[in-house]
Amino acid sequence: MKIKLKRHAAPFQFDVTNESGQSLQLDSSPQTGGQDYGFRPMETLLASLAGCSAIDIGLILKKQQQEVEDFSVEVTGDRNQESPAKEFTRIHLSYQLKGQLDANKVERAIQLALEKYCSVALSLNPEIAIESAFSIDSNHE
Amino acid sequence: MKIKLKRHAAPFQFDVTNESGQSLQLDSSPQTGGQDYGFRPMETLLASLAGCSAIDIGLILKKQQQEVEDFSVEVTGDRNQESPAKEFTRIHLSYQLKGQLDANKVERAIQLALEKYCSVALSLNPEIAIESAFSIDSNHE
């Protein structure tokens, strides 16, 4: 797996491309000259965790014949303000699913994704507290 | 810090937005129905590390009056093929800088960024081997 980052404009606007030719834009925070050209790196890390876990949850539920009609996630991250790196200390994922879904199966799928199958989650520092919640919007309620 | 992911199309095409209104697109691998709608989550994680370290390297060099005229990074990631999560085991970053730059200062800036200042690097599992290399394109050579 390979990606390339190039400077788009100073100080820190970047274009990143992958091997399939997709691109995404990054920028720094306003404090270091950012002008909302794209996601900040730490937001991008949260996006990767949201997407990775969403895929694994979907795959697990599909195997169980649970049809997910719609899916969204809100992710917040808390950072260590006392460290020079301000790394994440806690990440909270709130999953919203739509469909005729068994709550126990959804809960178990989220747990399995975050603890065993999600590549991004397992690449993060185990000291980061990864917490989750979920809600199910059933059609017939 | 907060981001939101929404499904764009089944199975796993997603739009992610941040609090400033920027967006990025994610998709799964072709094996699970991906159709190159956007970056894959693990590519996105590499992008976040590339961008984060690029910002910190730039900030450190700026403090030392080293003017970086252009900047790019190539990032490769190796994954644990024997684990269900296929998490990263090794990430290699190859930095290409342009300008009248002191090689020792560049080397030290990369080391400081990856080991101390880069939020994404310090949020990754310390078991991942993070390796780097660099080249400098000086104008007057």
Side-chain angles (χ1 to χ4, degrees), chain B residues 69 96-101 135-141:
Chain B
E69 294 172 20
Q96 287 113 40
L97 293 87
K98 190 172 174 185
Q100 294 299 308
L101 301 165
S135 65
I136 299 172
D137 176 6
S138 300
N139 290 326
H140 299 304
E141 277 184 356

Side-chain angles (χ1 to χ4, degrees), chain A residues 14-77:
Chain A
F14 301 116
D15 294 320
V16 192
T17 51
N18 67 8
E19 290 171 290
S20 316
Q22 272 74 48
S23 67
L24 64 82
Q25 285 70 49
L26 300 180
D27 202 348
S28 67
S29 67
Q31 293 91 321
T32 50
Q35 298 191 342
D36 289 338
Y37 179 65
F39 267 48
R40 290 162 59 179
M42 286 291 262
E43 292 172 338
T44 311
L45 178 59
L46 294 183
S48 74
L49 178 63
C52 170
S53 61
I55 293 168
D56 286 309
I57 291 165
L59 291 172
I60 294 166
L61 290 174
K62 190 182 178 190
K63 280 187 193 167
Q64 301 179 324
Q65 276 81 47
Q66 297 284 298
E67 192 187 345
V68 180
E69 295 172 18
D70 205 359
F71 194 104
S72 62
V73 198
E74 285 192 20
V75 190
T76 54

Side-chain angles (χ1 to χ4, degrees), chain B residues 73-84:
Chain B
V73 198
E74 285 192 20
V75 190
T76 55
D78 297 340
R79 300 172 65 169
N80 183 353
Q81 298 299 335
E82 292 170 14
S83 138

Side-chain angles (χ1 to χ4, degrees), chain A residues 1-7 12 14 16-20 22-29 32 35-52 54-59 68-79 83-88 116-120 122-126 128, chain B residues 1-7 12 14 16-20 22-29 32 35-52 54-59 68-79 83-88 116-120 122-126 128:
Chain A
M1 177 169 283
K2 185 177 185 174
I3 58 122
K4 290 186 190 184
L5 172 148
K6 288 182 187 294
R7 181 154 82 178
F12 302 120
F14 301 116
V16 192
T17 51
N18 67 8
E19 290 171 290
S20 316
Q22 272 74 48
S23 67
L24 64 82
Q25 285 70 49
L26 300 180
D27 202 348
S28 67
S29 67
T32 50
Q35 298 191 342
D36 289 338
Y37 179 65
F39 267 48
R40 290 162 59 179
M42 286 291 262
E43 292 172 338
T44 311
L45 178 59
L46 294 183
S48 74
L49 178 63
C52 170
I55 293 168
D56 286 309
I57 291 165
L59 291 172
V68 180
E69 295 172 18
D70 205 359
F71 194 104
S72 62
V73 198
E74 285 192 20
V75 190
T76 54
D78 297 341
R79 300 172 63 169
S83 136
K86 295 191 173 59
E87 70 279 5
F88 283 126
K116 186 172 180 184
Y117 290 106
C118 169
S119 317
V120 172
L122 277 287
S123 296
L124 296 182
N125 193 323
I128 301 171
Chain B
M1 178 168 283
K2 184 176 185 173
I3 58 123
K4 290 185 190 185
L5 172 148
K6 287 181 188 295
R7 181 155 80 178
F12 303 120
F14 301 115
V16 192
T17 50
N18 67 9
E19 290 171 291
S20 317
Q22 272 75 48
S23 67
L24 64 83
Q25 285 71 49
L26 300 180
D27 202 347
S28 68
S29 68
T32 50
Q35 298 191 342
D36 289 339
Y37 179 65
F39 267 47
R40 291 162 59 178
M42 286 291 262
E43 293 172 338
T44 310
L45 179 59
L46 294 183
S48 74
L49 178 63
C52 171
I55 293 168
D56 285 310
I57 291 165
L59 290 172
V68 180
E69 294 172 20
D70 205 358
F71 193 104
S72 62
V73 198
E74 285 192 20
V75 190
T76 55
D78 297 340
R79 300 172 65 169
S83 138
K86 295 191 173 59
E87 70 278 6
F88 283 125
K116 186 172 180 186
Y117 290 107
C118 169
S119 318
V120 173
L122 277 287
S123 296
L124 296 182
N125 193 323
I128 301 171

